Amino acid sequence: MEFLRPASWQEALAAKAEHPAAVPIAGGTDVMVEINFDHRRPAYLMDLNRVTELQEWEIGADTVRLGASVPYTKIMEHLRTELPGLALASHTVASPQIRNRGGVGGNLGTASPAGDAHPALLAGGGQVEAASVRGTRMIPLDDFYLGVKRNALEPDELIRAVHLRKASGPQQFSKVGTRNAMVIAVCAFGIALHPDTRTVRTGIGSAAPTPIRARTAEEFLTAALDEAGLWDSRGPVPPSVAGQFADLVAGAANPIDDVRGTASYRRHALGVMARRTLGWTWQEYRDAN
Ligand SMILES: Cc1cc2nc3c(=O)[nH]c(=O)nc-3n(C[C@H](O)[C@H](O)[C@H](O)COP(=O)(O)OP(=O)(O)OC[C@H]3O[C@@H](n4cnc5c(N)ncnc54)[C@H](O)[C@@H]3O)c2cc1C
């Protein structure tokens, strides 16, 4: 196995162009597991850790540009206000050691339906900045996940950053696992209220071949809040509306039975998480008045 160690972003792109099959390694918390278990033996491994700009972030007027290798710990410590859903999701990843190494770029690179960042990213909204020697392109998160552990990157591309909308309202993330830490999600759910556009967005993890949004549920809730004038009045969400939202979220999932849980349990749990997280976020929105 050849080990490539680019010292700059340009060197990294050149190396990826020369060796498109090279496997990038950032925190290594997915890659090293695969290599150690001999699930993968790449001819080239490309260490991105000398490209320090990947570990930086910038807070702009409307968005946060999050470098691909910013570890979860930094997101929890520094971006709780701007990206509350992602910060909550980061808390549930593995253990402190893994959170000090792993980051969103690696979660996106692996593109597992169980990755914890995905529901929060989908609910918050944003784009992946993908680059190669051919140039840079922005891939909307909605178009990034193509299949189980398959993403929209071309072989010569690397993730440079993720551009995420700064929160304009409350966000929540909820995960069901067999215990409280060091656990792959049985299923997970993210919700973001966007009072600036009077919309609601969601993300579902571990309950379909890819992370997905519950679009029908989003459209239903957005319309229901609007019709009842609840964004202005900040009145309570009627239980019937919350119940229908939960049912639509459960119905959006396309889960399987596996060792972690059954499809019907996953659907049930998603409905519960949807109702609860809607309750928490809406209460926070009301209290902020
Ligand atoms: C014990 C343990 C527990 C875990 N628990 C969780 C958990 O609870 N929740 C969860 O979501 N994950 C969990 N994981 C998985 C892992 O920690 C996450 O997926 C993490 O986000 C990976 O980030 P990384 O930087 O370590 O990625 P790496 O392992 O370095 O890379 C992962 C993939 O992304 C690619 N990649 C990395 N950076 C780039 C880039 N800039 N451009 C293009 N491709 C890139 C790599 O080639 C590889 O395919 C766990 C892992 C372990 C070992």
PDB file of all heavy atoms in Angstrom, residues 23-31 33 40 48 54 68 72 92-94 98 101-103 105-107 109-110 114-117 153 157-159 175 182-183, ligand 1:
ATOM      1  N   VAL A  23      -7.635   6.230  -1.569  1.00  0.00           N
ATOM      2  CA  VAL A  23      -8.653   6.420  -0.521  1.00  0.00           C
ATOM      3  C   VAL A  23      -8.182   7.518   0.427  1.00  0.00           C
ATOM      4  O   VAL A  23      -7.143   7.380   1.077  1.00  0.00           O
ATOM      5  CB  VAL A  23      -8.879   5.101   0.256  1.00  0.00           C
ATOM      6  CG1 VAL A  23      -9.790   5.333   1.457  1.00  0.00           C
ATOM      7  CG2 VAL A  23      -9.463   4.049  -0.671  1.00  0.00           C
ATOM      8  N   PRO A  24      -8.945   8.632   0.488  1.00  0.00           N
ATOM      9  CA  PRO A  24      -8.563   9.688   1.442  1.00  0.00           C
ATOM     10  C   PRO A  24      -8.770   9.198   2.866  1.00  0.00           C
ATOM     11  O   PRO A  24      -9.690   8.419   3.136  1.00  0.00           O
ATOM     12  CB  PRO A  24      -9.541  10.829   1.130  1.00  0.00           C
ATOM     13  CG  PRO A  24     -10.221  10.471  -0.142  1.00  0.00           C
ATOM     14  CD  PRO A  24     -10.146   8.987  -0.282  1.00  0.00           C
ATOM     15  N   ILE A  25      -7.925   9.658   3.761  1.00  0.00           N
ATOM     16  CA  ILE A  25      -8.125   9.359   5.174  1.00  0.00           C
ATOM     17  C   ILE A  25      -8.022  10.666   5.952  1.00  0.00           C
ATOM     18  O   ILE A  25      -7.052  11.409   5.812  1.00  0.00           O
ATOM     19  CB  ILE A  25      -7.137   8.283   5.697  1.00  0.00           C
ATOM     20  CG1 ILE A  25      -7.320   8.052   7.193  1.00  0.00           C
ATOM     21  CG2 ILE A  25      -5.693   8.576   5.354  1.00  0.00           C
ATOM     22  CD1 ILE A  25      -6.634   6.793   7.705  1.00  0.00           C
ATOM     23  N   ALA A  26      -9.092  10.960   6.720  1.00  0.00           N
ATOM     24  CA  ALA A  26      -9.119  12.192   7.542  1.00  0.00           C
ATOM     25  C   ALA A  26      -8.924  11.753   8.994  1.00  0.00           C
ATOM     26  O   ALA A  26      -7.793  11.550   9.435  1.00  0.00           O
ATOM     27  CB  ALA A  26     -10.422  12.931   7.311  1.00  0.00           C
ATOM     28  N   GLY A  27     -10.012  11.560   9.742  1.00  0.00           N
ATOM     29  CA  GLY A  27      -9.873  11.061  11.109  1.00  0.00           C
ATOM     30  C   GLY A  27      -9.516   9.581  11.136  1.00  0.00           C
ATOM     31  O   GLY A  27      -8.954   9.071  12.108  1.00  0.00           O
ATOM     32  N   GLY A  28      -9.873   8.873  10.086  1.00  0.00           N
ATOM     33  CA  GLY A  28      -9.555   7.449   9.978  1.00  0.00           C
ATOM     34  C   GLY A  28     -10.479   6.542  10.767  1.00  0.00           C
ATOM     35  O   GLY A  28     -10.265   5.334  10.819  1.00  0.00           O
ATOM     36  N   THR A  29     -11.529   7.096  11.351  1.00  0.00           N
ATOM     37  CA  THR A  29     -12.368   6.277  12.234  1.00  0.00           C
ATOM     38  C   THR A  29     -13.292   5.334  11.460  1.00  0.00           C
ATOM     39  O   THR A  29     -13.836   4.407  12.041  1.00  0.00           O
ATOM     40  CB  THR A  29     -13.201   7.153  13.203  1.00  0.00           C
ATOM     41  OG1 THR A  29     -14.067   7.992  12.440  1.00  0.00           O
ATOM     42  CG2 THR A  29     -12.308   7.997  14.089  1.00  0.00           C
ATOM     43  N   ASP A  30     -13.470   5.558  10.178  1.00  0.00           N
ATOM     44  CA  ASP A  30     -14.122   4.572   9.314  1.00  0.00           C
ATOM     45  C   ASP A  30     -13.073   3.799   8.521  1.00  0.00           C
ATOM     46  O   ASP A  30     -13.107   2.577   8.454  1.00  0.00           O
ATOM     47  CB  ASP A  30     -15.087   5.245   8.321  1.00  0.00           C
ATOM     48  CG  ASP A  30     -16.455   5.525   8.931  1.00  0.00           C
ATOM     49  OD1 ASP A  30     -16.904   4.717   9.762  1.00  0.00           O
ATOM     50  OD2 ASP A  30     -17.064   6.539   8.564  1.00  0.00           O
ATOM     51  N   VAL A  31     -12.137   4.529   7.911  1.00  0.00           N
ATOM     52  CA  VAL A  31     -11.164   3.892   7.016  1.00  0.00           C
ATOM     53  C   VAL A  31     -10.336   2.840   7.751  1.00  0.00           C
ATOM     54  O   VAL A  31     -10.150   1.721   7.255  1.00  0.00           O
ATOM     55  CB  VAL A  31     -10.219   4.954   6.398  1.00  0.00           C
ATOM     56  CG1 VAL A  31      -9.085   4.274   5.645  1.00  0.00           C
ATOM     57  CG2 VAL A  31     -10.977   5.873   5.462  1.00  0.00           C
ATOM     58  N   VAL A  33     -10.972   1.119  10.402  1.00  0.00           N
ATOM     59  CA  VAL A  33     -11.751  -0.066  10.774  1.00  0.00           C
ATOM     60  C   VAL A  33     -11.804  -1.016   9.572  1.00  0.00           C
ATOM     61  O   VAL A  33     -11.578  -2.228   9.694  1.00  0.00           O
ATOM     62  CB  VAL A  33     -13.177   0.329  11.233  1.00  0.00           C
ATOM     63  CG1 VAL A  33     -14.033  -0.904  11.462  1.00  0.00           C
ATOM     64  CG2 VAL A  33     -13.113   1.184  12.489  1.00  0.00           C
ATOM     65  N   ARG A  40     -11.011  -3.793   3.158  1.00  0.00           N
ATOM     66  CA  ARG A  40     -10.554  -2.901   2.115  1.00  0.00           C
ATOM     67  C   ARG A  40      -9.026  -2.909   2.137  1.00  0.00           C
ATOM     68  O   ARG A  40      -8.433  -2.852   3.225  1.00  0.00           O
ATOM     69  CB  ARG A  40     -11.054  -1.498   2.470  1.00  0.00           C
ATOM     70  CG  ARG A  40     -11.133  -0.537   1.342  1.00  0.00           C
ATOM     71  CD  ARG A  40     -11.825   0.717   1.876  1.00  0.00           C
ATOM     72  NE  ARG A  40     -12.236   1.560   0.787  1.00  0.00           N
ATOM     73  CZ  ARG A  40     -12.807   2.745   0.942  1.00  0.00           C
ATOM     74  NH1 ARG A  40     -13.044   3.221   2.142  1.00  0.00           N
ATOM     75  NH2 ARG A  40     -13.156   3.460  -0.095  1.00  0.00           N
ATOM     76  N   LEU A  48      -5.046  13.236   4.622  1.00  0.00           N
ATOM     77  CA  LEU A  48      -5.406  14.660   4.428  1.00  0.00           C
ATOM     78  C   LEU A  48      -5.032  15.525   5.637  1.00  0.00           C
ATOM     79  O   LEU A  48      -5.341  16.712   5.664  1.00  0.00           O
ATOM     80  CB  LEU A  48      -6.919  14.777   4.166  1.00  0.00           C
ATOM     81  CG  LEU A  48      -7.421  14.168   2.855  1.00  0.00           C
ATOM     82  CD1 LEU A  48      -8.945  14.243   2.791  1.00  0.00           C
ATOM     83  CD2 LEU A  48      -6.806  14.888   1.652  1.00  0.00           C
ATOM     84  N   LEU A  54      -8.620  22.138   5.982  1.00  0.00           N
ATOM     85  CA  LEU A  54      -9.801  21.270   6.087  1.00  0.00           C
ATOM     86  C   LEU A  54     -10.330  21.201   7.512  1.00  0.00           C
ATOM     87  O   LEU A  54     -11.443  20.751   7.752  1.00  0.00           O
ATOM     88  CB  LEU A  54      -9.478  19.855   5.582  1.00  0.00           C
ATOM     89  CG  LEU A  54      -9.098  19.728   4.107  1.00  0.00           C
ATOM     90  CD1 LEU A  54      -8.787  18.274   3.752  1.00  0.00           C
ATOM     91  CD2 LEU A  54     -10.228  20.249   3.206  1.00  0.00           C
ATOM     92  N   ALA A  68     -14.010  20.073   5.744  1.00  0.00           N
ATOM     93  CA  ALA A  68     -14.393  18.648   5.732  1.00  0.00           C
ATOM     94  C   ALA A  68     -13.884  17.898   6.954  1.00  0.00           C
ATOM     95  O   ALA A  68     -14.520  16.959   7.411  1.00  0.00           O
ATOM     96  CB  ALA A  68     -13.862  17.994   4.456  1.00  0.00           C
ATOM     97  N   TYR A  72     -15.975  16.466  15.263  1.00  0.00           N
ATOM     98  CA  TYR A  72     -17.259  16.674  15.941  1.00  0.00           C
ATOM     99  C   TYR A  72     -17.097  17.493  17.225  1.00  0.00           C
ATOM    100  O   TYR A  72     -17.944  18.320  17.561  1.00  0.00           O
ATOM    101  CB  TYR A  72     -17.903  15.321  16.276  1.00  0.00           C
ATOM    102  CG  TYR A  72     -18.328  14.546  15.060  1.00  0.00           C
ATOM    103  CD1 TYR A  72     -17.698  13.357  14.719  1.00  0.00           C
ATOM    104  CD2 TYR A  72     -19.354  15.007  14.250  1.00  0.00           C
ATOM    105  CE1 TYR A  72     -18.091  12.647  13.591  1.00  0.00           C
ATOM    106  CE2 TYR A  72     -19.743  14.302  13.122  1.00  0.00           C
ATOM    107  CZ  TYR A  72     -19.104  13.121  12.802  1.00  0.00           C
ATOM    108  OH  TYR A  72     -19.494  12.434  11.681  1.00  0.00           O
ATOM    109  N   THR A  92     -23.931  12.653  19.862  1.00  0.00           N
ATOM    110  CA  THR A  92     -24.336  11.242  19.930  1.00  0.00           C
ATOM    111  C   THR A  92     -23.371  10.329  19.172  1.00  0.00           C
ATOM    112  O   THR A  92     -23.559   9.112  19.163  1.00  0.00           O
ATOM    113  CB  THR A  92     -25.760  11.036  19.352  1.00  0.00           C
ATOM    114  OG1 THR A  92     -25.700  11.092  17.923  1.00  0.00           O
ATOM    115  CG2 THR A  92     -26.745  12.068  19.871  1.00  0.00           C
ATOM    116  N   VAL A  93     -22.365  10.911  18.512  1.00  0.00           N
ATOM    117  CA  VAL A  93     -21.424  10.067  17.771  1.00  0.00           C
ATOM    118  C   VAL A  93     -20.473   9.393  18.758  1.00  0.00           C
ATOM    119  O   VAL A  93     -19.755  10.075  19.503  1.00  0.00           O
ATOM    120  CB  VAL A  93     -20.613  10.895  16.740  1.00  0.00           C
ATOM    121  CG1 VAL A  93     -19.534  10.040  16.101  1.00  0.00           C
ATOM    122  CG2 VAL A  93     -21.524  11.489  15.677  1.00  0.00           C
ATOM    123  N   ALA A  94     -20.510   8.080  18.789  1.00  0.00           N
ATOM    124  CA  ALA A  94     -19.476   7.259  19.428  1.00  0.00           C
ATOM    125  C   ALA A  94     -19.067   7.727  20.819  1.00  0.00           C
ATOM    126  O   ALA A  94     -19.885   7.764  21.738  1.00  0.00           O
ATOM    127  CB  ALA A  94     -18.270   7.174  18.500  1.00  0.00           C
ATOM    128  N   ILE A  98     -13.443   9.237  19.495  1.00  0.00           N
ATOM    129  CA  ILE A  98     -13.867   9.228  18.085  1.00  0.00           C
ATOM    130  C   ILE A  98     -14.294  10.637  17.684  1.00  0.00           C
ATOM    131  O   ILE A  98     -13.998  11.096  16.578  1.00  0.00           O
ATOM    132  CB  ILE A  98     -15.034   8.233  17.869  1.00  0.00           C
ATOM    133  CG1 ILE A  98     -14.619   6.813  18.259  1.00  0.00           C
ATOM    134  CG2 ILE A  98     -15.557   8.294  16.435  1.00  0.00           C
ATOM    135  CD1 ILE A  98     -13.678   6.126  17.325  1.00  0.00           C
ATOM    136  N   ARG A 101     -11.561  12.884  16.531  1.00  0.00           N
ATOM    137  CA  ARG A 101     -10.924  12.563  15.253  1.00  0.00           C
ATOM    138  C   ARG A 101     -11.904  12.679  14.077  1.00  0.00           C
ATOM    139  O   ARG A 101     -11.565  13.251  13.046  1.00  0.00           O
ATOM    140  CB  ARG A 101     -10.382  11.116  15.264  1.00  0.00           C
ATOM    141  CG  ARG A 101      -9.270  10.840  16.236  1.00  0.00           C
ATOM    142  CD  ARG A 101      -7.988  11.541  15.855  1.00  0.00           C
ATOM    143  NE  ARG A 101      -7.619  11.279  14.463  1.00  0.00           N
ATOM    144  CZ  ARG A 101      -6.685  11.961  13.811  1.00  0.00           C
ATOM    145  NH1 ARG A 101      -6.035  12.934  14.407  1.00  0.00           N
ATOM    146  NH2 ARG A 101      -6.401  11.685  12.562  1.00  0.00           N
ATOM    147  N   GLY A 102     -13.076  12.090  14.238  1.00  0.00           N
ATOM    148  CA  GLY A 102     -14.000  11.997  13.105  1.00  0.00           C
ATOM    149  C   GLY A 102     -14.712  13.308  12.831  1.00  0.00           C
ATOM    150  O   GLY A 102     -14.876  14.148  13.727  1.00  0.00           O
ATOM    151  N   GLY A 103     -15.137  13.479  11.576  1.00  0.00           N
ATOM    152  CA  GLY A 103     -15.851  14.699  11.211  1.00  0.00           C
ATOM    153  C   GLY A 103     -16.872  14.459  10.126  1.00  0.00           C
ATOM    154  O   GLY A 103     -17.079  13.328   9.659  1.00  0.00           O
ATOM    155  N   GLY A 105     -16.911  15.448   6.973  1.00  0.00           N
ATOM    156  CA  GLY A 105     -16.388  15.018   5.664  1.00  0.00           C
ATOM    157  C   GLY A 105     -16.292  13.506   5.581  1.00  0.00           C
ATOM    158  O   GLY A 105     -16.627  12.904   4.556  1.00  0.00           O
ATOM    159  N   GLY A 106     -15.860  12.894   6.675  1.00  0.00           N
ATOM    160  CA  GLY A 106     -15.759  11.434   6.718  1.00  0.00           C
ATOM    161  C   GLY A 106     -17.121  10.766   6.725  1.00  0.00           C
ATOM    162  O   GLY A 106     -17.339   9.740   6.076  1.00  0.00           O
ATOM    163  N   ASN A 107     -18.064  11.359   7.446  1.00  0.00           N
ATOM    164  CA  ASN A 107     -19.447  10.830   7.466  1.00  0.00           C
ATOM    165  C   ASN A 107     -20.026  10.877   6.053  1.00  0.00           C
ATOM    166  O   ASN A 107     -20.668   9.927   5.602  1.00  0.00           O
ATOM    167  CB  ASN A 107     -20.286  11.662   8.433  1.00  0.00           C
ATOM    168  CG  ASN A 107     -21.206  10.847   9.343  1.00  0.00           C
ATOM    169  OD1 ASN A 107     -22.383  11.157   9.454  1.00  0.00           O
ATOM    170  ND2 ASN A 107     -20.711   9.813   9.985  1.00  0.00           N
ATOM    171  N   GLY A 109     -18.216  11.029   3.263  1.00  0.00           N
ATOM    172  CA  GLY A 109     -17.419  10.138   2.419  1.00  0.00           C
ATOM    173  C   GLY A 109     -17.922   8.716   2.524  1.00  0.00           C
ATOM    174  O   GLY A 109     -18.082   8.019   1.520  1.00  0.00           O
ATOM    175  N   THR A 110     -18.201   8.275   3.744  1.00  0.00           N
ATOM    176  CA  THR A 110     -18.712   6.912   3.952  1.00  0.00           C
ATOM    177  C   THR A 110     -20.153   6.792   3.455  1.00  0.00           C
ATOM    178  O   THR A 110     -20.557   5.777   2.904  1.00  0.00           O
ATOM    179  CB  THR A 110     -18.632   6.540   5.446  1.00  0.00           C
ATOM    180  OG1 THR A 110     -17.257   6.592   5.837  1.00  0.00           O
ATOM    181  CG2 THR A 110     -19.182   5.156   5.725  1.00  0.00           C
ATOM    182  N   ALA A 114     -26.642   5.158   8.251  1.00  0.00           N
ATOM    183  CA  ALA A 114     -26.681   5.294   9.712  1.00  0.00           C
ATOM    184  C   ALA A 114     -25.816   6.440  10.229  1.00  0.00           C
ATOM    185  O   ALA A 114     -25.777   6.666  11.437  1.00  0.00           O
ATOM    186  CB  ALA A 114     -26.238   3.984  10.361  1.00  0.00           C
ATOM    187  N   GLY A 115     -25.112   7.151   9.364  1.00  0.00           N
ATOM    188  CA  GLY A 115     -24.264   8.255   9.831  1.00  0.00           C
ATOM    189  C   GLY A 115     -25.102   9.311  10.547  1.00  0.00           C
ATOM    190  O   GLY A 115     -26.150   9.717  10.048  1.00  0.00           O
ATOM    191  N   ASP A 116     -24.605   9.755  11.700  1.00  0.00           N
ATOM    192  CA  ASP A 116     -25.436  10.643  12.520  1.00  0.00           C
ATOM    193  C   ASP A 116     -25.508  12.078  12.005  1.00  0.00           C
ATOM    194  O   ASP A 116     -26.459  12.797  12.320  1.00  0.00           O
ATOM    195  CB  ASP A 116     -24.914  10.651  13.962  1.00  0.00           C
ATOM    196  CG  ASP A 116     -25.260   9.365  14.683  1.00  0.00           C
ATOM    197  OD1 ASP A 116     -26.357   8.831  14.428  1.00  0.00           O
ATOM    198  OD2 ASP A 116     -24.435   8.890  15.470  1.00  0.00           O
ATOM    199  N   ALA A 117     -24.517  12.499  11.232  1.00  0.00           N
ATOM    200  CA  ALA A 117     -24.563  13.885  10.756  1.00  0.00           C
ATOM    201  C   ALA A 117     -25.692  14.097   9.747  1.00  0.00           C
ATOM    202  O   ALA A 117     -26.271  15.188   9.668  1.00  0.00           O
ATOM    203  CB  ALA A 117     -23.223  14.272  10.117  1.00  0.00           C
ATOM    204  N   LEU A 153     -19.763  11.939  -5.316  1.00  0.00           N
ATOM    205  CA  LEU A 153     -18.408  12.377  -5.679  1.00  0.00           C
ATOM    206  C   LEU A 153     -17.903  11.609  -6.900  1.00  0.00           C
ATOM    207  O   LEU A 153     -18.115  10.405  -7.009  1.00  0.00           O
ATOM    208  CB  LEU A 153     -17.434  12.113  -4.535  1.00  0.00           C
ATOM    209  CG  LEU A 153     -17.530  12.965  -3.274  1.00  0.00           C
ATOM    210  CD1 LEU A 153     -16.452  12.535  -2.287  1.00  0.00           C
ATOM    211  CD2 LEU A 153     -17.420  14.451  -3.588  1.00  0.00           C
ATOM    212  N   GLU A 157     -12.578  13.522  -7.240  1.00  0.00           N
ATOM    213  CA  GLU A 157     -13.002  14.641  -6.386  1.00  0.00           C
ATOM    214  C   GLU A 157     -12.755  14.378  -4.901  1.00  0.00           C
ATOM    215  O   GLU A 157     -12.784  13.234  -4.433  1.00  0.00           O
ATOM    216  CB  GLU A 157     -14.500  14.919  -6.574  1.00  0.00           C
ATOM    217  CG  GLU A 157     -14.825  15.651  -7.877  1.00  0.00           C
ATOM    218  CD  GLU A 157     -16.308  15.963  -8.002  1.00  0.00           C
ATOM    219  OE1 GLU A 157     -17.139  15.105  -7.644  1.00  0.00           O
ATOM    220  OE2 GLU A 157     -16.635  17.057  -8.485  1.00  0.00           O
ATOM    221  N   LEU A 158     -12.574  15.481  -4.185  1.00  0.00           N
ATOM    222  CA  LEU A 158     -12.481  15.458  -2.727  1.00  0.00           C
ATOM    223  C   LEU A 158     -13.496  16.446  -2.163  1.00  0.00           C
ATOM    224  O   LEU A 158     -13.870  17.414  -2.842  1.00  0.00           O
ATOM    225  CB  LEU A 158     -11.082  15.897  -2.272  1.00  0.00           C
ATOM    226  CG  LEU A 158      -9.920  14.960  -2.591  1.00  0.00           C
ATOM    227  CD1 LEU A 158      -8.597  15.654  -2.285  1.00  0.00           C
ATOM    228  CD2 LEU A 158     -10.047  13.659  -1.797  1.00  0.00           C
ATOM    229  N   ILE A 159     -13.915  16.194  -0.935  1.00  0.00           N
ATOM    230  CA  ILE A 159     -14.791  17.156  -0.249  1.00  0.00           C
ATOM    231  C   ILE A 159     -13.884  18.192   0.415  1.00  0.00           C
ATOM    232  O   ILE A 159     -12.988  17.835   1.186  1.00  0.00           O
ATOM    233  CB  ILE A 159     -15.652  16.472   0.824  1.00  0.00           C
ATOM    234  CG1 ILE A 159     -16.529  15.377   0.201  1.00  0.00           C
ATOM    235  CG2 ILE A 159     -16.514  17.501   1.566  1.00  0.00           C
ATOM    236  CD1 ILE A 159     -17.191  14.472   1.232  1.00  0.00           C
ATOM    237  N   LYS A 175     -31.992  10.138  18.397  1.00  0.00           N
ATOM    238  CA  LYS A 175     -31.413   8.874  17.890  1.00  0.00           C
ATOM    239  C   LYS A 175     -31.832   7.740  18.802  1.00  0.00           C
ATOM    240  O   LYS A 175     -31.782   7.881  20.025  1.00  0.00           O
ATOM    241  CB  LYS A 175     -29.893   9.038  17.872  1.00  0.00           C
ATOM    242  CG  LYS A 175     -29.068   7.785  17.647  1.00  0.00           C
ATOM    243  CD  LYS A 175     -27.587   8.168  17.567  1.00  0.00           C
ATOM    244  CE  LYS A 175     -26.654   6.999  17.581  1.00  0.00           C
ATOM    245  NZ  LYS A 175     -25.229   7.395  17.502  1.00  0.00           N
ATOM    246  N   MET A 182     -21.579   5.072  21.969  1.00  0.00           N
ATOM    247  CA  MET A 182     -20.863   4.053  21.181  1.00  0.00           C
ATOM    248  C   MET A 182     -21.826   3.111  20.477  1.00  0.00           C
ATOM    249  O   MET A 182     -21.712   1.898  20.583  1.00  0.00           O
ATOM    250  CB  MET A 182     -19.927   3.242  22.092  1.00  0.00           C
ATOM    251  CG  MET A 182     -18.730   4.008  22.568  1.00  0.00           C
ATOM    252  SD  MET A 182     -17.600   4.390  21.220  1.00  0.00           S
ATOM    253  CE  MET A 182     -16.724   2.869  21.096  1.00  0.00           C
ATOM    254  N   VAL A 183     -22.773   3.698  19.796  1.00  0.00           N
ATOM    255  CA  VAL A 183     -23.788   2.836  19.191  1.00  0.00           C
ATOM    256  C   VAL A 183     -24.203   3.368  17.818  1.00  0.00           C
ATOM    257  O   VAL A 183     -24.314   4.567  17.623  1.00  0.00           O
ATOM    258  CB  VAL A 183     -24.999   2.711  20.157  1.00  0.00           C
ATOM    259  CG1 VAL A 183     -25.832   3.968  20.192  1.00  0.00           C
ATOM    260  CG2 VAL A 183     -25.849   1.523  19.824  1.00  0.00           C
TER     261      VAL A 183
HETATM  262  C1  LIG B   1     -15.954   2.851  17.581  1.00  0.00           C
HETATM  263  C2  LIG B   1     -16.637   3.681  16.524  1.00  0.00           C
HETATM  264  C3  LIG B   1     -17.873   4.211  16.781  1.00  0.00           C
HETATM  265  C4  LIG B   1     -18.537   4.988  15.811  1.00  0.00           C
HETATM  266  N1  LIG B   1     -19.747   5.530  16.115  1.00  0.00           N
HETATM  267  C5  LIG B   1     -20.367   6.331  15.215  1.00  0.00           C
HETATM  268  C6  LIG B   1     -21.600   6.950  15.543  1.00  0.00           C
HETATM  269  O1  LIG B   1     -22.132   6.815  16.654  1.00  0.00           O
HETATM  270  N2  LIG B   1     -22.199   7.724  14.605  1.00  0.00           N
HETATM  271  C7  LIG B   1     -21.631   7.918  13.359  1.00  0.00           C
HETATM  272  O2  LIG B   1     -22.203   8.633  12.538  1.00  0.00           O
HETATM  273  N3  LIG B   1     -20.451   7.344  13.036  1.00  0.00           N
HETATM  274  C8  LIG B   1     -19.807   6.552  13.920  1.00  0.00           C
HETATM  275  N4  LIG B   1     -18.608   5.965  13.595  1.00  0.00           N
HETATM  276  C9  LIG B   1     -18.087   6.138  12.245  1.00  0.00           C
HETATM  277  C10 LIG B   1     -17.128   7.335  12.054  1.00  0.00           C
HETATM  278  O3  LIG B   1     -16.591   7.790  13.276  1.00  0.00           O
HETATM  279  C11 LIG B   1     -17.844   8.511  11.359  1.00  0.00           C
HETATM  280  O4  LIG B   1     -18.403   8.114  10.139  1.00  0.00           O
HETATM  281  C12 LIG B   1     -16.910   9.697  11.121  1.00  0.00           C
HETATM  282  O5  LIG B   1     -17.689  10.803  10.738  1.00  0.00           O
HETATM  283  C13 LIG B   1     -15.860   9.435  10.062  1.00  0.00           C
HETATM  284  O6  LIG B   1     -15.018  10.577   9.969  1.00  0.00           O
HETATM  285  P1  LIG B   1     -13.450  10.414   9.740  1.00  0.00           P
HETATM  286  O7  LIG B   1     -12.862  11.759   9.575  1.00  0.00           O
HETATM  287  O8  LIG B   1     -12.830   9.560  10.794  1.00  0.00           O
HETATM  288  O9  LIG B   1     -13.452   9.625   8.349  1.00  0.00           O
HETATM  289  P2  LIG B   1     -12.377   8.639   7.634  1.00  0.00           P
HETATM  290  O10 LIG B   1     -12.405   7.332   8.313  1.00  0.00           O
HETATM  291  O11 LIG B   1     -11.057   9.339   7.589  1.00  0.00           O
HETATM  292  O12 LIG B   1     -13.019   8.598   6.221  1.00  0.00           O
HETATM  293  C14 LIG B   1     -14.307   8.055   6.012  1.00  0.00           C
HETATM  294  C15 LIG B   1     -14.616   8.014   4.512  1.00  0.00           C
HETATM  295  O13 LIG B   1     -14.697   9.323   3.994  1.00  0.00           O
HETATM  296  C16 LIG B   1     -13.711   9.517   2.997  1.00  0.00           C
HETATM  297  N5  LIG B   1     -13.208  10.883   3.157  1.00  0.00           N
HETATM  298  C17 LIG B   1     -12.720  11.449   4.297  1.00  0.00           C
HETATM  299  N6  LIG B   1     -12.432  12.743   4.077  1.00  0.00           N
HETATM  300  C18 LIG B   1     -12.733  12.984   2.779  1.00  0.00           C
HETATM  301  C19 LIG B   1     -12.667  14.145   1.943  1.00  0.00           C
HETATM  302  N7  LIG B   1     -12.225  15.333   2.405  1.00  0.00           N
HETATM  303  N8  LIG B   1     -13.080  14.038   0.676  1.00  0.00           N
HETATM  304  C20 LIG B   1     -13.554  12.856   0.186  1.00  0.00           C
HETATM  305  N9  LIG B   1     -13.650  11.736   0.916  1.00  0.00           N
HETATM  306  C21 LIG B   1     -13.243  11.802   2.200  1.00  0.00           C
HETATM  307  C22 LIG B   1     -12.682   8.412   3.214  1.00  0.00           C
HETATM  308  O14 LIG B   1     -11.972   8.063   2.048  1.00  0.00           O
HETATM  309  C23 LIG B   1     -13.578   7.293   3.695  1.00  0.00           C
HETATM  310  O15 LIG B   1     -14.207   6.672   2.589  1.00  0.00           O
HETATM  311  C24 LIG B   1     -17.920   5.195  14.554  1.00  0.00           C
HETATM  312  C25 LIG B   1     -16.655   4.652  14.295  1.00  0.00           C
HETATM  313  C26 LIG B   1     -16.014   3.903  15.272  1.00  0.00           C
HETATM  314  C27 LIG B   1     -14.653   3.347  14.974  1.00  0.00           C
END
